[in-house]
Amino acid sequence: TNVKQINLQKKKVACMNYYQELSPYEIMLTQEPYAVKNKICFVPTTHKAFSAYCHEKTPRAAILLPLELSKLSFIMGNFSNRDIITVKSNIISKKGVIFTSIYMALEKNEQKIEPSTLNKFKELTIYAKQNNIPLILGSDSNGHHTLWNSYKETERGRIISNLINELDLKIQNTGNSPTFVNTRGHKSRIDITMTNNFSNTLIKNWKVHEEVSLSDHKLISFQVDLGNNKTSYRRCYEKANWNDFRTKVESKLKENPFNYKTKPGSLDKNMNFINNILQKTLDEICPRTKIIHKSKTPWNDNLEKLKINTKKAKNKTLLNPEQPKLRQELTTQERDYRREIQNVERQSWRDFCSEEKSKKKLAKFPKPKQKDWEILHTLKKENGEFTKTSEETLGYFANHHFPISNEDLLNPLQHQENISGEIINEGAYKKAISSLQPKKEKSTD
């Protein structure tokens, strides 16, 4: 899966450009996105934006995930605020993977990081380390240090480098390309990508794009190995017993009461507690099942042409339903289209049977079912009567296909002697002797 990272500097045109260029399977970690009233603008229909809710100011960190991946993801409120957004996706394994976008603001030339963002950043890395969860962080650090190949070192850079070493994180930046270039020609490397020990092997092909961007920051991209993301799950809510769900939730809340009073930090704990109860109860009542994708018909150019011609003929008949020629043309087009589909499916099955040699794929071949087999109970004789026992049925079946006289059955040895006499006789001996070469040496044969 391709991941992109960039600081958009709240520029409307930059957001429109980069968001619309996202492919349906790409992830984007952004800092300073263009937002109006806590809503990230210009998000494509193929993605969902995750950002923290802010009462007065707009968020300065966001993550865009594909729709299929967003269904398996949720915001971790304990580790999110205006400048940091943390999203956990339940993929790779049961533990999942955590994506984080951080904006380390540099306000009034203060070198220290904002305290609430710093605390959430520390708590997040400790949580991921304790639970063995892969962690991927994209950040605009606004700091300079040689740890991420910067030209110089600043006080903020030293603070961030000490923090990275303390939390046992790894910098994924490679090369010497600048990540920030403004109109005055100032170049620096302030955008960094960090991972913990559980996600070091997941990151590949980290690079900075050299093309001119609509922001002063350069676009960063890298590959993340998320495993087989084609496997998808679903719940069948129609079969769920919601009365049972309600009673179980109520009983669990009574068994584990919590403090309803709003104290500093208690709201997030209570919310996570209720979410865990709801999630576990839902897994009991309505478990998730794998979606099995059926194999589709192999496609080719001829099928595509027949499909287009069939649609055209159908549209013509809808516009002029009274003309018999158009109806006849539609029936012929539909017939040819169906026949071509059948021919392509048969040919693909023949190719599959002739080429496949792996045991796993050959195991999918259709096998005969013993339940469908019919046991032979009786046979009709030549005189019109039916056999009564299984022994009589087998005997009549054998005599019909392998006829042997009664004398041969009574004297099998005599029958074998007659056969040997027919094969070995005086003429056979003379023929064998005449075939020998003259002046042949004496031997045992």
Side-chain angles (χ1 to χ4, degrees):
T1 303
N2 192 34
V3 181
K4 294 181 177 180
Q5 174 188 336
I6 191 172
N7 185 326
L8 297 170
Q9 295 184 318
K10 302 179 182 179
K11 293 184 178 180
K12 186 185 294 187
V13 180
C15 287
M16 290 176 62
N17 184 32
Y18 285 110
Y19 286 173
Q20 297 302 323
E21 286 182 354
L22 283 175
S23 70
Y25 300 103
E26 285 183 332
I27 300 171
M28 195 164 200
L29 312 177
T30 61
Q31 298 85 40
E32 291 191 291
Y34 182 77
V36 177
K37 295 181 180 180
N38 285 303
K39 183 179 180 182
I40 308 299
C41 300
F42 310 114
V43 179
T45 56
T46 57
H47 286 70
K48 181 181 179 181
F50 292 85
S51 61
Y53 179 80
C54 306
H55 293 284
E56 297 178 356
K57 300 179 181 180
T58 57
R60 294 193 290 192
I63 297 176
L64 272 68
L65 296 179
L67 289 179
E68 291 185 1
L69 184 59
S70 65
K71 295 176 183 178
L72 305 174
S73 309
F74 61 93
I75 296 176
M76 303 181 74
N78 295 341
F79 314 118
S80 301
N81 64 8
R82 184 192 179 197
D83 293 332
I84 178 172
I85 179 66
T86 304
V87 176
K88 184 180 179 182
S89 300
N90 295 323
I91 49 178
I92 297 178
S93 63
K94 292 182 179 180
K95 295 180 180 179
V97 61
I98 297 175
F99 295 98
T100 305
S101 178
I102 311 172
Y103 177 65
M104 300 180 181
L106 185 64
E107 297 176 354
K108 299 180 182 179
N109 293 326
E110 291 185 1
Q111 298 298 319
K112 294 183 178 180
I113 303 171
E114 201 273 325
S116 64
T117 304
L118 181 61
N119 292 333
K120 290 184 181 296
F121 177 54
K122 288 182 177 180
E123 292 173 0
L124 171 63
T125 52
I126 294 170
Y127 170 82
K129 185 176 181 180
Q130 290 176 349
N131 294 275
N132 302 333
I133 303 175
L135 177 63
I136 300 171
L137 305 99
S139 173
D140 177 11
S141 65
N142 283 314
H144 305 270
H145 198 274
T146 55
L147 185 63
W148 49 90
N149 301 327
S150 189
Y151 300 107
K152 57 182 180 179
E153 290 187 6
T154 59
E155 183 180 353
R156 168 174 277 235
R158 286 189 285 270
I159 292 171
I160 296 172
S161 65
N162 293 333
L163 183 65
I164 290 171
N165 294 326
E166 177 187 349
L167 298 174
D168 196 17
L169 297 175
K170 182 181 179 181
I171 299 293
Q172 295 292 334
N173 293 41
T174 57
N176 297 320
S177 300
T179 62
F180 177 88
V181 180
N182 62 8
T183 55
R184 293 173 293 177
H186 176 69
K187 300 179 180 180
S188 61
R189 301 186 185 95
I190 56 177
D191 299 294
I192 55 178
T193 305
M194 298 171 281
T195 56
N196 62 359
N197 293 329
F198 304 103
S199 58
N200 288 337
T201 57
L202 302 179
I203 304 295
K204 297 179 182 178
N205 302 327
W206 190 96
K207 66 177 181 179
V208 180
H209 293 258
E210 299 295 337
E211 61 264 18
V212 178
S213 64
L214 300 173
S215 171
D216 291 339
H217 293 257
K218 295 287 187 179
L219 179 66
I220 297 170
S221 68
F222 52 91
Q223 299 288 331
V224 179
D225 185 9
L226 298 180
N228 187 11
N229 52 4
K230 294 182 179 179
T231 305
S232 54
Y233 298 85
R234 67 178 179 88
R235 298 182 191 271
C236 187
Y237 294 101
E238 297 176 356
K239 297 181 180 180
N241 188 350
W242 295 110
N243 293 328
D244 192 13
F245 175 80
R246 182 178 295 177
T247 54
K248 285 190 175 184
V249 170
E250 290 176 354
S251 63
K252 288 180 180 179
L253 289 174
K254 289 179 181 179
E255 292 174 1
N256 302 305
F258 60 91
N259 189 7
Y260 289 90
K261 295 180 181 180
T262 56
K263 294 181 179 179
S266 63
L267 184 61
D268 291 336
K269 292 181 180 179
N270 294 339
M271 182 182 66
N272 290 334
F273 175 75
I274 294 173
N275 285 337
N276 289 332
I277 289 177
L278 294 174
Q279 188 68 32
K280 290 179 181 178
T281 310
L282 187 62
D283 291 337
E284 295 174 3
I285 301 298
C286 184
R288 292 190 301 171
T289 56
K290 277 187 180 181
I291 299 176
I292 301 173
H293 300 280
K294 295 182 180 180
S295 59
K296 298 180 180 179
T297 303
W299 209 251
N300 56 24
D301 295 337
N302 191 19
L303 274 175
E304 187 66 27
K305 291 179 181 178
L306 290 171
K307 182 180 178 181
I308 294 170
N309 294 334
T310 305
K311 285 185 175 180
K312 288 180 179 179
K314 189 174 182 180
N315 293 331
K316 289 180 180 179
T317 52
L318 290 174
L319 293 174
N320 303 309
E322 297 179 355
Q323 295 186 9
K325 291 184 179 180
L326 296 177
R327 289 184 181 179
Q328 186 177 0
E329 184 181 356
L330 176 61
T331 53
T332 53
Q333 290 290 344
E334 289 178 345
R335 185 184 65 247
D336 295 341
Y337 184 48
R338 287 194 300 269
R339 286 179 179 176
E340 184 64 21
I341 289 175
Q342 293 175 357
N343 293 334
V344 171
E345 288 178 345
R346 289 169 183 168
Q347 186 61 36
S348 64
W349 176 249
R350 292 192 189 99
D351 296 340
F352 175 77
C353 295
S354 59
E355 294 176 1
E356 288 299 336
K357 295 181 180 179
S358 62
K359 293 182 179 179
K360 291 183 179 180
K361 292 185 178 180
L362 289 174
K364 297 179 181 179
F365 278 25
K367 299 177 181 178
K369 297 181 180 180
Q370 294 182 354
K371 294 181 180 180
D372 298 334
W373 291 358
E374 294 183 359
I375 300 173
L376 186 63
H377 293 283
T378 183
L379 288 175
K380 188 177 181 180
K381 298 181 181 180
E382 294 179 355
N383 57 5
E385 297 179 356
F386 290 89
T387 57
K388 296 180 180 180
T389 62
S390 58
E391 294 178 355
E392 186 180 358
T393 303
L394 292 174
Y396 181 76
F397 182 81
N399 291 331
H400 180 76
H401 291 282
F402 308 100
I404 300 175
S405 63
N406 295 329
E407 296 179 357
D408 295 337
L409 292 173
L410 295 173
N411 301 313
L413 295 176
Q414 184 180 357
H415 179 66
Q416 290 179 2
E417 290 177 359
N418 295 333
I419 293 173
S420 62
E422 293 176 359
I423 296 173
I424 303 172
N425 50 29
E426 186 178 356
Y429 280 116
K430 290 181 179 180
K431 187 176 181 181
I433 292 170
S434 62
S435 64
L436 296 176
Q437 296 178 1
K439 300 181 181 180
K440 187 178 185 300
E441 295 181 359
K442 298 179 179 180
S443 61
T444 56
D445 60 351

